Structure formats: C-alpha cells, structure tokens
Amino acid sequence: MDTPTDFLFLNENFTANFNPFCEGEYLVIQAYPCEKRLIVDKRSFNYKEARDYCSIQNLSHDYTSYSLRIFHNQKLWEVDFMGEPWEVSKEQDWKIAEEYLKAHHDKNTDGEIVVCRCSYPFFSSLRTFINRHGEADEYWQPVTCLTESQGLEIENCPNCNYALIELDENKDDDDYDDFIPLTYRECSNYDGEFYGDNQLICAIHPYGCDLDFCPDFVP
C-alpha cells in the first residue's frame, strides 16, 4: 500500500510534468553538454542565491557548464545584472513527442533524436535516394519531433538557424542535384545556387512549388 509520502511524491511528479516551473523562478541549468531534456540543477526565487550557486557549480566542474535562467511568460529567459528577464534563452524545456522517443529507442528504426548545439532536439532520419549514376545512396534528413511541431523536414535549426545538413565534400556536387526534382532543373527560371545555408530554387518559388506541376515553368 502506498504511504502518504509516496502519494505526495507521485503527485508532485505528476504536477511537475505539466507545470514544472513557476513565474519568476530562477533556474540553474546545465548548458553544456546539451541533453535531450532540460537538466535543472537548482530552483530558487532568490536571485543572489541562484547566481552564487551557478558560479560555484561552474568553478567545481571541468567538463560541464551551468547557466542562470528565469522562468517568465512560459519560457526560459537570460537575466541581466539585476536578475530581470533580458532575452529569450536558446535553452528551453523542450517537449519531445512520444512517438519519436519510442523510435529513438527502437533498434529497428533508422533514425535517432539528435540535439543541436543550442539545445534544440530533432529527429535525424535515414533516407535513400538514387543518384545521377543510378546508384542507391543515403543521407540523414532532420525532422522536427516536438509535441507542437512534428514531422517537418528541416535543413536549419528552427531555434538558432544552425545548418543541420552538411554536404559531403567527397561526393560530386552533381549528386546533390538529385534532391531537386528534374522539372525544376529543366526550367529556365531555375537557379539552384546556395546563398549562405539556403538553396534558392528560383526567384518565383524560392523553396520550390508545392504543386505537382509548376504554373510558372519555362522550358
């Protein structure tokens, strides 16, 4: 039979899963290395106490770093020298969708949850395509996996815009044309060049046309 203490512990855990932090609460979080879930080392409503604790933790750990955040308007914020919210933190309490957590631990699934350097988690899925030589080749496609955003193919991190797909320098550049539908490449409007980390399909449809046949196609 559960004791009152056990019941209280379970009740607190249940509540924390849905409303883990309070408005104005200071959190000392593990900023490095980034994990799939937010690691909170200390919670306090006292700015000085939380700041001093964060400093001590950073002095006493060689391979782990900690940062001070404040919970404000349902998000984590960096704080200024007065302990007030300054700007939205790159680290957040990300909620990964259950189906992607299961896929991550399933050894029969060709994919896994990866954490961007800013702390944003995404699902890296193994895909296969036929290159210009008619051979099967593979690449890793990042996909959003949070409860509020699932299954969207991305090339850059939605949180910090870091490029998540790196071209293999040992492959022919022409092989990467196979990611672009042939109808795009045969159109006189096709550009295909990379500007920073983003590839421009054309000035009319920068990211490509959503239709099976582009109405602006010019042979």
Side-chain angles (χ1 to χ4, degrees), residues 2-15:
D2 293 337
T3 65
T5 302
D6 293 333
F7 176 79
L8 180 60
F9 177 75
L10 291 172
N11 188 54
E12 287 178 347
N13 281 349
F14 178 82
T15 303

Side-chain angles (χ1 to χ4, degrees), residues 120-182:
Y120 183 87
F122 59 92
F123 191 80
S124 187
S125 177
L126 187 62
R127 304 289 180 85
T128 302
F129 74 102
I130 304 301
N131 63 27
R132 65 193 300 267
H133 305 295
E135 302 168 337
D137 208 343
E138 297 179 331
Y139 70 102
W140 291 95
Q141 174 64 58
V143 176
T144 57
C145 64
L146 302 183
T147 53
E148 68 270 18
S149 176
Q150 301 178 39
L152 298 179
E153 295 185 356
I154 52 177
E155 295 183 0
N156 295 69
C157 174
N159 189 46
C160 70
N161 203 39
Y162 179 73
L164 302 178
I165 297 180
E166 295 183 5
L167 299 183
D168 188 343
E169 295 180 356
N170 295 322
K171 290 188 176 183
D172 249 340
D173 287 342
D174 290 339
D175 287 347
Y176 292 95
D177 284 341
D178 293 290
F179 288 104
I180 305 300
L182 182 63

Side-chain angles (χ1 to χ4, degrees), residues 39 77 119 145 153 158 184 205:
I39 297 180
W77 290 65
S119 86
C145 64
E153 295 185 356
Y184 289 168
H205 305 282

Side-chain angles (χ1 to χ4, degrees), residues 76-89:
L76 298 185
W77 290 65
E78 295 185 21
V79 299
D80 60 18
F81 67 96
M82 295 292 290
E84 297 296 325
W86 173 45
E87 64 178 4
V88 177
S89 170

Side-chain angles (χ1 to χ4, degrees), residues 2-217:
D2 293 337
T3 65
T5 302
D6 293 333
F7 176 79
L8 180 60
F9 177 75
L10 291 172
N11 188 54
E12 287 178 347
N13 281 349
F14 178 82
T15 303
N17 285 334
F18 293 92
N19 186 26
F21 311 121
C22 300
E23 176 69 24
E25 186 174 17
Y26 293 102
L27 310 172
V28 177
I29 66 171
Q30 179 179 307
Y32 179 86
C34 292
E35 302 291 346
K36 296 176 183 65
R37 61 183 180 85
L38 184 70
I39 297 180
V40 180
D41 199 53
K42 183 177 179 60
R43 298 169 59 172
S44 174
F45 285 98
N46 186 303
Y47 168 60
K48 184 178 184 304
E49 179 186 53
R51 182 196 61 193
D52 292 346
Y53 180 87
C54 183
S55 298
I56 292 173
Q57 288 297 88
N58 280 322
L59 289 173
S60 59
H61 291 79
D62 294 328
Y63 303 104
T64 306
S65 63
Y66 296 83
S67 295
L68 180 60
R69 299 290 185 265
I70 186 172
F71 190 69
H72 174 63
N73 287 341
Q74 301 301 310
K75 286 186 176 292
L76 298 185
W77 290 65
E78 295 185 21
V79 299
D80 60 18
F81 67 96
M82 295 292 290
E84 297 296 325
W86 173 45
E87 64 178 4
V88 177
S89 170
K90 293 296 183 185
E91 298 89 358
Q92 293 294 333
D93 186 24
W94 307 112
K95 304 294 186 185
I96 300 175
E98 184 177 357
E99 61 185 279
Y100 286 97
L101 286 173
K102 290 180 179 179
H104 174 77
H105 295 290
D106 187 349
K107 295 182 180 179
N108 297 318
T109 301
D110 292 328
E112 62 177 345
I113 295 174
V114 182
V115 180
C116 179
R117 60 182 185 179
C118 73
S119 86
Y120 183 87
F122 59 92
F123 191 80
S124 187
S125 177
L126 187 62
R127 304 289 180 85
T128 302
F129 74 102
I130 304 301
N131 63 27
R132 65 193 300 267
H133 305 295
E135 302 168 337
D137 208 343
E138 297 179 331
Y139 70 102
W140 291 95
Q141 174 64 58
V143 176
T144 57
C145 64
L146 302 183
T147 53
E148 68 270 18
S149 176
Q150 301 178 39
L152 298 179
E153 295 185 356
I154 52 177
E155 295 183 0
N156 295 69
C157 174
N159 189 46
C160 70
N161 203 39
Y162 179 73
L164 302 178
I165 297 180
E166 295 183 5
L167 299 183
D168 188 343
E169 295 180 356
N170 295 322
K171 290 188 176 183
D172 249 340
D173 287 342
D174 290 339
D175 287 347
Y176 292 95
D177 284 341
D178 293 290
F179 288 104
I180 305 300
L182 182 63
T183 52
Y184 289 168
R185 288 182 275 130
E186 292 181 340
C187 177
S188 59
N189 291 323
Y190 175 68
D191 183 85
E193 293 295 322
F194 280 86
Y195 299 88
D197 295 322
N198 299 311
Q199 186 178 27
L200 177 67
I201 302 303
C202 73
I204 305 172
H205 305 282
Y207 302 102
C209 180
D210 294 330
L211 304 176
D212 293 333
F213 180 81
C214 179
D216 301 297
F217 177 83

